[in-house]
Amino acid sequence: MTPTTLNEWLMHRGEAGYRAKQIIEWIYERGVSTFDEMTNLSRTLRQRLSADLRLYASTVVRDVESTDRTRKLLLRWADGATTECVMIPDGRRRTACISTQVGCPVGCVFCASGLNGLDRQLTAGEIVEQAMRVRNLCGDERLSNVVFMGLGEPLHNYDATLAALRTINAEWGMNIGARKITISTVGLPKQIERLADEKLQITLAISLHAPDDELRRKIIPWAASVSIEALIESANVYFSRTGREVTLEYVLLGDLNDQPEHARELARVAKRTRGNVNLIRYNPVEGLPYRRPESAAATKFQEVLRERGVNSHLRKSRGLDIDGACGQLRRRVGEAPESTGVTVA
Ligand code: SAH
Ligand code: SF4
């Protein structure tokens, strides 16, 4: 709910509209987790709120912490669906990685999230709740960044993702600056252009993973209907309408797309946009035949890009010991019984 919809909800029940502001302050500023804690509301209103609305709708079924302090939660929603969200500490930075769908309809060959297709979309509330749950793990530090890089394809759940993003960004809401928010997409040109028109200062990351259409189509089923050409065009539209450079993500899969010739070809593609390349060494998924490249191969790949004047970052892998890649923990746990204990990996 936004202040407007909450206000309407209250008015319908004969409550004063200004209560909406109080309730929202309790949630986002003071971080309470029950309506009962909202002590400046009448008991009747608190009871009504508890009966009709839910503040936190999920149960934490797993809470695992990596030796690198990355922490992953597996949440179970009322219908039994499960999703993951992650808190990634890095210096003083605290990043929440959140999901937008239960499963994923795309089915990239290397990814654990899409192995069983899409179960259902997440609602805006469920998406925000993950960011709030991660925020609650941050202790005295402030949650500084949010990345939509968990389970699912955000632009295939466009409206809920955007509504969640606005709450995460809103001053009345989680108040996280747009520049600290990243949406990662497998690359849907129409939706990218729609996103460009929202005129938000968020970062857009496009998952490329291959420098030519033939290889890309082997890795990403949906690439069959979207050429790299079309993606570059939409990246350029995004840049021209928002002034924000686009990130090209490239998961390095051992011997598949990590050779110097791939890097040379990728440099040609990348130079056609105003952006940078994010290299991610593959985080192996049990049962899948893909390999994590040696760090020497990754460094060499990056060097080839650098020689050609392409700005790139080799992302640190986090949480390797806790099924770090999205979808892995959920897959492993399956229908495990509920538990709220912390497992330190
Ligand atoms: N569906 C969106 C966002 C979620 S995936 C997308 O594909 O962009 C977020 C990023 O994690 C993508 O770049 C994806 O390729 C990457 N990813 C997924 N599984 C991975 C794994 N096992 N190891 C490394 N990166 C992975
Ligand atoms: Fe879906 Fe992204 Fe995984 Fe591909 S990489 S299956 S688009 S979550």
Side-chain angles (χ1 to χ4, degrees):
M1 279 182 157
T2 63
T4 314
T5 53
L6 183 55
N7 187 40
E8 279 165 13
W9 187 93
L10 289 161
M11 303 288 253
H12 253 86
R13 285 153 183 84
E15 294 282 349
Y18 70 87
R19 296 286 182 203
K21 190 162 180 285
Q22 291 178 324
I23 295 167
I24 286 201
E25 269 173 18
W26 278 112
I27 299 171
Y28 294 107
E29 265 175 51
R30 307 206 208 179
V32 301
S33 52
T34 62
F35 292 111
D36 260 353
E37 292 162 82
M38 302 181 179
T39 47
N40 58 358
L41 308 182
S42 70
R43 184 184 293 264
T44 326
L45 176 55
R46 279 184 272 157
Q47 280 169 349
R48 222 171 197 178
L49 287 162
S50 307
D52 291 358
L53 303 177
R54 273 174 307 172
L55 209 42
Y56 284 84
S58 65
T59 318
V60 179
V61 272
R62 279 286 191 286
D63 178 344
V64 287
E65 185 167 351
S66 163
T67 47
D68 69 17
R69 315 295 297 167
T70 298
R71 200 156 153 195
K72 182 180 267 204
L73 302 181
L74 182 71
L75 306 181
R76 176 172 290 142
W77 304 97
D79 64 351
T82 54
T83 55
E84 299 174 5
C85 54
V86 188
M87 195 273 282
I88 307 158
D90 189 13
R92 297 207 62 189
R93 181 190 290 191
R94 295 287 176 278
T95 301
C97 176
I98 58 177
S99 302
T100 53
Q101 299 184 311
V102 181
C104 180
V106 183
C108 301
V109 293
F110 60 83
C111 175
S113 305
L115 283 175
N116 295 318
L118 176 71
D119 289 340
R120 72 165 170 88
Q121 304 283 16
L122 287 176
T123 64
E126 288 168 336
I127 299 170
V128 174
E129 175 165 333
Q130 296 170 68
M132 287 298 284
R133 288 224 178 254
V134 172
R135 187 179 97 166
N136 296 343
L137 300 177
C138 292
D140 293 339
E141 297 291 338
R142 186 179 143 57
L143 178 67
S144 53
N145 297 63
V146 174
V147 297
F148 289 75
M149 290 192 185
L151 293 159
E153 168 48 46
L155 299 188
H156 183 254
N157 186 14
Y158 191 94
D159 292 339
T161 296
L162 259 284
L165 194 150
R166 290 191 190 283
T167 298
I168 290 168
N169 176 228
E171 245 171 73
W172 58 260
M174 293 184 69
N175 199 16
I176 299 203
R179 286 164 182 261
K180 308 279 182 183
I181 302 174
T182 299
I183 287 196
S184 173
T185 174
V186 73
L188 309 176
K190 275 207 194 82
Q191 285 85 333
I192 291 175
E193 291 189 22
R194 188 171 164 201
L195 188 63
D197 286 332
E198 310 275 355
K199 298 277 186 301
L200 290 160
Q201 285 294 297
I202 59 165
T203 300
L204 175 68
I206 300 179
S207 289
L208 201 64
H209 309 333
D212 64 82
D213 285 327
E214 197 189 334
L215 181 57
R216 192 162 189 268
R217 285 169 185 166
K218 287 187 183 143
I219 299 173
I220 307 174
W222 284 19
S225 54
V226 181
S227 65
I228 291 177
E229 179 68 33
L231 278 182
I232 295 297
E233 256 170 50
S234 62
N236 288 338
V237 167
Y238 191 84
F239 175 74
S240 68
R241 293 190 196 161
T242 63
R244 299 285 293 157
E245 291 195 354
V246 173
T247 299
L248 298 177
E249 285 169 287
Y250 196 100
V251 172
L252 291 164
L253 300 155
D255 296 328
L256 189 64
N257 66 357
D258 67 338
Q259 300 301 304
E261 67 261 25
H262 297 121
R264 287 194 286 274
E265 190 65 25
L266 176 61
R268 273 197 286 278
V269 173
K271 290 189 95 157
R272 298 180 46 216
T273 68
R274 283 285 295 272
N276 56 80
V277 174
N278 235 327
L279 299 171
I280 312 149
R281 280 168 76 201
Y282 182 55
N283 194 338
V285 173
E286 215 176 275
L288 295 184
Y290 305 97
R291 255 193 346 96
R292 179 177 174 82
E294 300 301 324
S295 74
T299 312
K300 171 78 189 148
F301 195 96
Q302 189 180 23
E303 246 174 56
V304 174
L305 292 178
R306 195 171 286 153
E307 279 162 11
R308 283 161 176 71
V310 174
N311 193 8
S312 71
H313 308 274
L314 185 55
R315 276 224 305 251
K316 265 190 276 182
S317 296
R318 303 295 302 266
L320 278 173
D321 54 344
I322 55 160
D323 298 314
C326 49
Q328 292 195 89
L329 179 63
R330 171 173 176 262
R331 202 163 151 244
R332 187 184 304 276
V333 171
E335 292 302 304
E338 291 186 9
S339 120
T340 49
V342 177
T343 313
V344 179

